[in-house]
Amino acid sequence: RYVTAAAAAGLLASCCASLAQAEEPFTVEVAAGPFDVFVTETARLDAKQSVTLSSELPSNTGKIVWLLPEGDYVERGAAVARFDPAPFETELQQHSRELQDARATLVQAEAELQIKIRRNEESKEQLEHAIAVAELKLENLRKAEHPLRLATARNEVLAARTALLAARRELEAQREMLNEGFGSEAALADAAAVERERANALALSERQLELLQSIILPAELEQAELELASKRRELERGEQINLNSLAKQNAALVRLTNKVAELEQTLAASKDLLAKTTIKAPVSGFVVYKQISVMNERRKPQVGDSVWNRHGFMVIPDMSAMIAHADVRELDVGKLAEGQAVTLYPEAHPDLTLTGRVDSVGTLAADGSSSEENLFRVRIALDELDPRLRPGMRARASILTRHHDAVLRVPIEAVFYEQGTPICFLWTRGAARRQSVTIGESDGEYVIVTSGLERGDRVLLSRPMELVAGN
């Protein structure tokens, strides 16, 4: 009947624990791992290009003589239309004859010029040979003959000095021997005579070396340089005379060359016009006629019609490659760049997944947008084709803008803001604690946390006061 104090305390604790467990808020664990950021928008498929064909002949000289039937499939490079080639063939023949005559005249003038050039070259070669001989002679004097002669003269001076030194030592030795009573006056006199002879020989060799260095060799060099300069002046005068004699022939040759070049350009233009009488498909596809004006009437082209230059009369949509266009919000356009991977999910074929890449990002906001937010046109190049695809189909385009290998992330519902500062509520030991965090990119469901949390932390998905209000 009665409950002891200890039992009552245990029962109260059990109730509180049960109540606390029942009121524990919903939390999620801070996870770590790879993280991809996507921009997802609706895109519209289209052919990569649709080519309009027109006449490139002058004015309305393009008279149709054959057309590929409308609706036929044409391979790239095959003919789809032909214009009357007769007037362009006549013009081509006339220009060919004029060019042939001009080339014959030019060949004759070039032959005459070559004869003149060869004669001038022979004269020039003779003078250049004479110059080469003079240069060789001068080079030989400077690097071979003169250095050798100088070396020989210096060696003679050196030998004379050595001989004089030996004679002086011998003379000194004779004096010492005479003083000591071993020599003779005759031997001393002979040694003195030899010393004088060797001194005279040294003076002579030194004089010869000085003359060689200061007078003889410079005079020989000067004479060789004068001969070389004379030959070079003769060559310059000859070249000037040759240039003057060739001036008139060169001027005439230039005029003929220019005339031939002009006629070649005219002939090339005629050939180009003749080639343009046949229009070939730049892409593979189905032929579609466009309406044209014929005698104040708008209708599709027929054989016998003359079409005007640059006026399109046929269209070939290119289905060999497809693209997609997506309008991206101004908030996301800064995340996009050329080459980013794209995955597309066509609405008409839920089982079909396409891949592609961002081909270009618009620099100006798209016109005619019904949204108040600026939209920018993004062009997506598809990597593969599927025969079920048609221009104008809608698809969901998911553009991968950033990949992170290992980051912390939490659901965007776990991040709150107080005075513009992001915070999370950590749930530890049955209580919530406010934690300032630094966040990074988001994929719309999760957001990267760069600081403030650690892997394994648990955070609330709602504010604690809201839980209290809910109770």
Side-chain angles (χ1 to χ4, degrees):
R1 269 182 205 181
Y2 299 99
V3 180
T4 65
L11 180 61
L12 179 60
S14 176
C15 291
C16 290
S18 299
L19 182 60
Q21 183 176 5
E23 293 180 353
E24 181 174 333
F26 187 75
T27 62
V28 295
E29 183 178 323
V30 178
F35 188 80
D36 293 330
V37 182
F38 294 91
V39 171
T40 302
E41 295 289 352
T42 299
R44 188 175 296 275
L45 302 178
D46 198 359
K48 187 175 182 179
Q49 60 178 347
S50 183
V51 182
T52 300
L53 305 180
S54 61
S55 168
E56 296 186 25
L57 300 174
S59 187
N60 64 338
T61 55
K63 183 178 180 180
I64 299 174
V65 295
W66 175 79
L67 281 172
L68 187 69
E70 186 175 19
D72 281 9
Y73 182 81
V74 62
E75 293 287 350
R76 181 177 180 269
V80 294
R82 291 192 179 93
F83 301 116
D84 185 8
F88 305 101
E89 291 173 343
T90 301
E91 187 178 82
L92 179 62
Q93 293 173 359
Q94 178 184 349
H95 293 155
S96 296
R97 289 192 297 269
E98 293 175 354
L99 178 59
Q100 186 176 359
D101 293 341
R103 282 176 173 169
T105 304
L106 177 60
V107 169
Q108 182 179 355
E110 287 176 340
E112 294 174 355
L113 180 61
Q114 290 304 316
I115 293 173
K116 183 66 175 177
I117 290 174
R118 280 196 297 272
R119 290 175 180 172
N120 293 343
E121 287 178 348
E122 291 173 359
S123 175
K124 181 181 178 181
E125 287 175 0
Q126 293 175 356
L127 288 172
E128 287 178 341
H129 177 71
I131 290 174
V133 171
E135 289 176 338
L136 183 61
K137 179 181 178 181
L138 180 61
E139 188 75 6
N140 183 59
L141 288 176
R142 286 174 174 169
K143 294 186 177 181
E145 183 178 339
H146 284 186
L148 180 59
R149 289 165 65 183
L150 283 173
T152 301
R154 290 191 181 101
N155 289 336
E156 290 176 354
V157 171
L158 182 60
R161 285 176 181 168
T162 303
L164 177 60
L165 181 61
R168 285 176 177 172
R169 284 198 294 265
E170 178 63 21
L171 178 61
E172 186 63 27
Q174 291 295 331
R175 284 196 183 106
E176 290 179 358
M177 290 176 64
L178 183 62
N179 292 335
E180 293 176 0
F182 297 104
S184 65
E185 290 293 339
L188 180 61
D190 290 342
V194 172
E195 191 271 341
R196 286 193 298 275
E197 180 183 350
R198 300 289 171 82
N200 291 333
L202 175 60
L204 179 60
S205 62
E206 288 178 340
R207 179 57 180 166
Q208 289 176 341
L209 176 60
E210 181 181 357
L211 289 174
L212 194 66
Q213 287 179 321
S214 60
I215 297 176
I216 298 174
L217 297 186
E220 291 178 357
L221 282 177
E222 183 179 2
Q223 181 63 30
E225 290 171 349
L226 290 174
E227 291 179 4
L228 177 58
S230 176
K231 296 296 183 182
R232 285 174 174 170
R233 286 194 297 271
E234 187 177 352
L235 176 62
E236 291 177 358
R237 287 195 299 270
E239 288 180 339
Q240 186 61 46
I241 292 172
N242 292 337
L243 288 175
N244 292 336
S245 66
L246 293 175
K248 292 182 179 180
Q249 287 179 281
N250 278 325
L253 189 62
V254 168
R255 288 193 295 269
L256 286 173
T257 303
N258 291 338
K259 183 178 180 180
V260 169
E262 292 174 1
L263 290 173
E264 286 176 343
Q265 291 179 357
T266 302
L267 183 63
S270 298
K271 289 181 179 179
D272 185 55
L273 288 177
L274 183 59
K276 289 176 179 177
T277 58
T278 298
I279 295 185
K280 297 180 180 180
V283 296
S284 301
F286 294 93
V287 173
V288 179
Y289 291 172
K290 289 188 67 176
Q291 289 192 346
I292 60 173
S293 294
V294 181
M295 302 294 293
N296 297 324
E297 178 187 1
R298 295 288 296 176
R299 60 172 174 81
K300 293 184 178 182
Q302 302 173 2
V303 172
D305 291 341
S306 293
V307 295
W308 286 87
N309 175 271
R310 305 294 182 180
H311 286 203
F313 66 93
M314 184 182 292
V315 176
I316 303 178
D318 180 12
M319 298 300 295
S320 64
M322 298 194 71
I323 59 173
H325 289 106
D327 290 329
V328 177
R329 297 174 300 167
E330 183 176 356
L331 180 65
D332 295 326
V333 73
K335 305 174 184 177
L336 304 185
E338 293 182 10
Q340 290 175 335
V342 184
T343 305
L344 296 102
Y345 308 91
E347 294 181 358
H349 303 285
D351 60 327
L352 180 60
T353 301
L354 304 172
T355 61
R357 57 180 176 77
V358 175
D359 189 55
S360 64
V361 181
T363 56
L364 299 176
D367 294 332
S369 173
S370 59
S371 172
E372 294 182 357
E373 186 175 11
N374 286 333
L375 301 177
F376 291 81
R377 178 61 54 91
V378 176
R379 177 186 169 107
I380 301 168
L382 273 63
D383 293 334
E384 66 275 337
L385 297 176
D386 189 282
R388 293 173 289 177
L389 299 178
R390 297 290 184 273
M393 282 185 172
R394 294 163 63 90
R396 179 167 56 89
S398 185
I399 305 172
L400 177 61
T401 62
R402 190 72 63 86
H403 171 76
H404 301 274
D405 290 328
V407 292
L408 296 178
R409 66 181 185 274
V410 297
I412 58 175
E413 294 85 0
V415 179
F416 306 91
Y417 292 88
E418 292 185 354
Q419 296 180 352
T421 300
I423 63 170
C424 289
F425 291 98
L426 276 172
W427 185 257
T428 57
R429 298 180 181 180
R433 177 170 61 86
R434 179 183 285 100
Q435 176 65 44
S436 296
V437 296
T438 303
I439 60 175
E441 294 181 288
S442 171
D443 64 354
E445 297 182 9
Y446 289 87
V447 63
I448 296 174
V449 178
T450 58
S451 66
L453 297 177
E454 295 182 359
R455 182 176 182 176
D457 288 346
R458 302 199 67 83
V459 293
L460 276 64
L461 294 180
S462 60
R463 290 179 179 271
M465 64 283 294
E466 295 178 10
L467 293 177
V468 174
N471 290 338

